[in-house]
């Protein structure tokens, strides 16, 4: 049987980008949690939020949710996270 490998990336040309600098610490920071709206995501993020606060001293967690997991987050969702003063954002997958 023949094996077919499929590239998960689309064919769009993209400009090279530099990754954002890593945070020196999570203590005292505001972290955004982006739920992609798959089943189980909110339960996973509830636990992640608790761990971020208990173990790493995260001061505040801002939660946001994409309307659907099949498309990129709308600009309004990303702007909300930025507007809340998030120092970093974790996009969480679940299932």
């Amino acid at each position: 049987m023949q094996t077919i490998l499929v590239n998960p990336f689309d064919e769009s040309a993209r400009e090279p980008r530099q990754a954002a600098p890593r945070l020196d610490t999570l203590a005292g920071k505001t972290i955004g949690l982006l739920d992609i709206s798959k089943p189980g995501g909110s339960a996973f993020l509830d636990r992640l939020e608790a761990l971020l606060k208990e173990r790493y001293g995260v001061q505040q967690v801002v939660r946001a949710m994409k309307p659907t997991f099949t498309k990129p987050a709308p600009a309004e969702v990303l702007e909300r996270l930025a507007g809340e003063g998030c120092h970093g954002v974790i996009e969480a997958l679940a299932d």
Side-chain angles (χ1 to χ4, degrees):
M1 184 163 91
Q2 181 182 12
T3 301
I4 299 173
L5 299 176
V6 179
N7 183 347
F9 298 102
D10 62 25
E11 302 297 322
S12 302
R14 291 182 176 78
E15 292 293 320
R17 295 175 131 186
Q18 179 123 9
R22 291 179 181 246
L23 297 174
D24 58 339
T25 182
L26 294 176
K29 302 285 197 261
T30 297
I31 301 297
L33 298 180
L34 179 58
D35 187 334
I36 69 165
S37 76
K38 288 192 105 180
S42 61
F44 172 73
L45 290 176
D46 289 344
R47 183 66 182 135
L48 181 59
E49 178 175 351
L51 290 171
L52 287 169
K53 289 178 177 178
E54 292 167 13
R55 291 187 185 176
Y56 300 100
V58 168
Q59 180 179 348
Q60 181 181 0
V61 171
V62 177
R63 303 272 292 258
M65 181 182 276
K66 289 173 40 173
T68 178
F69 64 86
T70 61
K71 296 180 181 177
E76 306 83 56
V77 173
L78 300 177
E79 288 168 6
R80 177 173 170 258
L81 290 168
E84 294 283 337
C86 293
H87 297 96
V89 176
I90 298 170
E91 183 174 358
L93 308 176
D95 258 347

